[in-house]
Amino acid sequence: MNSTEQGEVSGELVNHTKQTLREVRLQILYSWRWKDEHHPGKDDPGRAAYYLFGPEKFRLAIAVRFNYKPSPPLASREDGQFDISVKVVGFAQVFPESAQR
């Protein structure tokens, strides 16, 4: 994963399972880290965003790129910085037609 100071995030999603997946949902977490953790401010600009891959199917070891730009943009402040993390929070498994009987 790569990120910019403006909060734009890009990376690759790779399916390491033996199953075909679709509708993969990512959580992009913007955690605010105060410069002075002992005296934090009252206005924490941290937030979470979600990115949903549409109906694409993710097969084993196929890499799919993603780009996310926060809207509205992240606050530009001098009293701390954002710690950005991305994780998979949901997906649907695709079963072969022969298994649907």
Side-chain angles (χ1 to χ4, degrees), residues 16-69:
H16 291 288
T17 73
K18 294 181 180 181
Q19 307 301 321
T20 298
L21 307 176
R22 65 180 176 84
E23 297 175 8
V24 177
R25 185 179 194 88
L26 301 180
Q27 178 190 60
I28 304 166
L29 188 59
Y30 296 96
S31 300
W32 183 249
R33 304 293 181 223
W34 299 97
K35 276 188 179 177
D36 184 354
E37 295 269 336
H38 296 291
H39 300 96
K42 295 179 182 179
D43 181 27
D44 182 343
R47 64 184 181 197
Y50 295 89
Y51 182 94
L52 177 65
F53 287 91
E56 299 99 3
K57 292 182 181 176
F58 298 92
R59 290 175 172 66
L60 177 64
I62 298 295
V64 179
R65 295 213 36 86
F66 70 92
N67 294 293
Y68 177 79
K69 183 176 182 176

